Amino acid sequence: MDIILLGPPGAGKGTQAQRLVEHHGMRQLSTGDMLRETRKADSELGRKVSDIMDSGGLVSDEIVSAMIDAKLGEMGPEMGAIFDGYPRTAAQAEQLDEILAKHYRQLDHVIELEVNEDALVERITGRYTCANCGAGYHDVFHLPAKEGVCDKCGSTEFKRRPDDNEETVRTRMQEYRGKTAPILPGYEARGIVSRVDGMASIEDVTHAIDSILSR
Ligand code: AMP
């Protein structure tokens, strides 16, 4: 089963994708994560990607679609894919159709996480992760049980994404409204879109997604 998780930054796509990986053995394909790896490289591409990500703009369609194509090429047909943060433009949506056909796969569900945008800035600017294991935390909504110590692995090192500041978040939301939301009607015409209340608790959102997948 291949699915797209769609929603503005901070809607909870990454959190839910990780839970789908744990519960259903699917594979998370996050172009944001792939690009964060790319930007670490001391290369022209790494610097270009860094600049775009820090501004909140979108990296070129060709770059992200090539990454998705390569990852799907490494996956067996039995392993379901969760597209997280991809596609983000009409061109990427078209490219995804071509890539899926090439790998003899098809899209089963597009799940839109609906959220109140005003709440997103607070969600995003307060989030951070364990630098060792990647577990997610939040300054207000989800502190570790023991201050400064990761619940999962005990590490005391944490990190924040450089693009999780208010200014960049606003640009990322504009990009979502202007370029990503318009791809939904095309999927709606195919009858594969479901909507979930992304403001509900993490557990409830997971439950709602699970019931869509078991339909
Ligand atoms: P994310 O982790 O999904 O919030 O992505 C972080 C940043 O990576 C975005 O603000 C974009 O600059 C870039 N990015 C991630 N996925 C894509 C994509 N599919 N197309 C273009 N840029 C992307």
Side-chain angles (χ1 to χ4, degrees), residues 9 13 30-33 35-36 49 52-54 56-61 64 84-89 92 127 161 163 168 172:
K13 302 184 294 291
S30 157
T31 43
D33 286 348
L35 290 166
R36 277 184 279 283
V49 163
I52 296 172
M53 290 176 84
D54 287 344
L58 294 182
V59 173
S60 91
D61 296 328
V64 290
D84 161 13
Y86 177 91
R88 259 179 159 94
T89 64
Q92 289 178 25
R127 70 186 180 180
R161 283 172 45 171
D163 58 342
T168 308
R172 286 158 62 200

Side-chain angles (χ1 to χ4, degrees), residues 190-208:
R190 294 195 218 166
I192 54 173
V193 176
S194 303
R195 295 197 162 77
V196 168
D197 176 10
M199 300 311 293
S201 70
I202 292 176
E203 280 300 331
D204 286 351
V205 176
T206 304
H207 189 69

Side-chain angles (χ1 to χ4, degrees), residues 9 15 21 24 70 77-78 81 102 122 133-134 143 152 161 184-185 196:
T15 302
V21 168
H24 299 285
E78 72 295 339
K102 176 177 145 189
E122 189 187 14
C133 74
L143 287 162
K152 282 206 176 146
R161 283 172 45 171
L184 266 165
V196 168

Side-chain angles (χ1 to χ4, degrees), residues 118-130:
D118 292 336
L120 291 185
V121 176
E122 189 187 14
R123 265 198 192 182
I124 295 181
T125 53
R127 70 186 180 180
Y128 62 98
T129 54
C130 170

